[in-house]
Each structure stands twice: as C-alpha cells, then as structure tokens.
C-alpha cells in the first residue's frame, strides 16, 4: 500500500512515537486500547498541533457519524477489509493534493 507501519501498543505510546518522529503520513488509531484509548490519544494529538496529520479511527462498534467531531479524519469498522483500507488511503491522498 506504499506505507511502512509502526505499531504502538496503546494511545500513550502512539503519541510518544508521533511526537518523537514527525515523519508519519497517517495514523490508523484503534478506539479501544489499554492505558489510553484512541479517542483520548486523538484529542491529545490535535491539542499538540497535529491538525494536518490524517487519523483514521478503527472501531468494532456500529458506524459513528461523530468521528470528525472527535478529531478523526475518517473511520473504518473492524475487522478492516483490505479493499476498504485501500479506498480510504486513496481518498486521503486525493484530498491532500
């Protein structure tokens, strides 16, 4: 898909990785994680000034219409079909050009 993944075990670690290495193209943020969930991690990233970093929320719950209000650029339901992920990545690339 043209990206090199970096895995964080929880939201706190995700923030630390992103803040340490500003070279991330996008974030796939799981909503339910230990230590700090994806909602809080996304809120903190936005507060730290990462407003241009695309964040896609991953959730096992039903579709949510308020994801953009929560700081996400978009969302995907888990398990994530590869085709859906490719479409979201393509859409994000197109919207950022």
């Amino acid at each position: 898909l043209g990206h090199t993944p970096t895995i964080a075990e929880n939201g706190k670690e995700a923030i630390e990785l992103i803040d340490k290495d500003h070279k991330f193209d996008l974030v796939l943020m799981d909503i339910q994680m230990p230590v700090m969930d994806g909602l809080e991690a996304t809120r903190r990233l936005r507060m730290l000034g990462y407003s241009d970093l695309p964040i896609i929320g991953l959730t096992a719950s039903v579709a949510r219409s308020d994801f953009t209000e929560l700081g996400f650029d978009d969302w995907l339901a888990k398990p994530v079909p590869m085709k859906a992920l490719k479409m979201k990545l393509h859409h994000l690339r197109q919207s950022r050009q």
Side-chain angles (χ1 to χ4, degrees), residues 1 3 6-9 39 45 50 52-53 57 61 63 68-69 75 77-78 82 90 94 97:
L1 298 175
H3 298 275
T6 301
I7 298 173
E9 296 295 322
L39 297 171
L45 284 168
Y50 292 99
D52 291 337
L53 178 63
S61 64
T68 54
E69 294 171 17
W75 67 276
K78 297 187 299 185
M82 188 58 69
H90 178 74
Q94 294 299 317
Q97 291 181 351

Side-chain angles (χ1 to χ4, degrees), residues 14-37:
I15 292 170
E16 291 167 356
L17 287 168
I18 292 164
D19 211 30
K20 179 181 174 185
D21 184 2
H22 303 278
K23 298 179 184 178
F24 289 92
D25 296 324
L26 67 105
V27 175
L28 299 176
M29 183 74 75
D30 197 340
I31 302 304
Q32 292 185 313
M33 293 185 286
V35 181
M36 180 188 298
D37 66 29

